[in-house]
Amino acid sequence: MKGKIVSRHSDYEQKTEELLRPIAEEYGVEIYDVEYVREGADYYLRAYIDKQDGVNIGDCENVSRALSDALDAADFIPDAYILEVSSPGLGRKLTKDKHLDRSIGDEVDIRFYKPPDGFKTKDISGVLDGYDPEHITVNVDGETISFDRKAIAQIRLAFDF
């Protein structure tokens, strides 16, 4: 059952991204990510958009209206859901290889499912040096360390206030 939910969600995300491509191009933004998730009793369809100088509320409103109309016309999601269109934010999740590509050389925060060997915590910060399909390489306090991608729960860009 769980496998069907994951593939159904992925299917919704993929179809939404296809609808979003021409809209994003029209409004001069790029698609950062699309996710369909259940939180509590509600489903959320989230589209994250970005552009060189950052998105503003007008960008989000324009894309949201156009995407909402396109989703209503396509009508492929049978569940009630809440549509959200926003910037990925400062501490953006790095969920895809294209996100990692853009973030090489940046400070990242990594959360593991369990502390990696040699560490006492599940949370580690460092500079993203690189990646491949199986590993993420990070410079932690001057030491370059490679971590198994399967052990990583989440990677985000680090940000300081």
Side-chain angles (χ1 to χ4, degrees):
M1 179 80 171
K2 192 169 188 172
K4 287 186 179 194
I5 291 171
V6 170
S7 69
R8 183 182 71 179
H9 288 201
S10 296
D11 187 46
Y12 295 165
E13 292 166 356
Q14 181 181 4
K15 287 180 180 179
T16 300
E17 193 163 333
E18 289 169 13
L19 288 176
L20 185 54
R21 273 191 205 107
I23 295 167
E25 187 174 316
E26 178 182 348
Y27 289 103
V29 299
E30 64 183 70
I31 302 166
Y32 186 81
D33 206 0
V34 173
E35 66 178 8
Y36 183 76
V37 296
R38 184 174 184 169
E39 294 178 2
D42 296 319
Y43 286 97
Y44 290 85
L45 179 60
R46 293 187 176 115
Y48 298 100
I49 59 172
D50 206 2
K51 67 181 182 184
Q52 185 66 34
D53 297 326
V55 296
N56 59 45
I57 191 72
D59 295 321
C60 294
E61 288 174 0
N62 291 333
V63 171
S64 181
R65 283 190 190 104
L67 180 57
S68 180
D69 291 346
L71 287 164
D72 287 347
D75 196 28
F76 58 86
I77 302 176
D79 308 307
Y81 61 89
I82 299 163
L83 175 63
E84 295 179 350
V85 176
S86 69
S87 160
L90 294 175
R92 59 189 62 192
K93 293 179 191 175
L94 306 178
T95 58
K96 298 179 177 172
D97 285 354
K98 69 178 184 177
H99 303 156
L100 294 169
D101 284 338
R102 292 182 183 167
S103 302
I104 291 179
D106 292 335
E107 182 86 16
V108 295
D109 294 326
I110 304 174
R111 171 161 286 219
F112 294 88
Y113 292 108
K114 64 180 187 174
D117 291 341
F119 291 86
K120 295 180 181 179
T121 179
K122 294 192 300 185
D123 298 307
I124 295 170
S125 294
V127 175
L128 180 64
D129 280 348
Y131 70 94
D132 63 37
E134 286 85 34
H135 301 92
I136 298 287
T137 305
V138 181
N139 186 303
V140 180
D141 297 327
E143 182 181 351
T144 301
I145 305 170
S146 184
F147 297 105
D148 187 344
R149 283 178 89 159
K150 291 178 185 176
I152 297 172
Q154 184 178 62
I155 303 175
R156 288 183 175 271
L157 278 182
F159 62 96
D160 294 320
F161 286 102

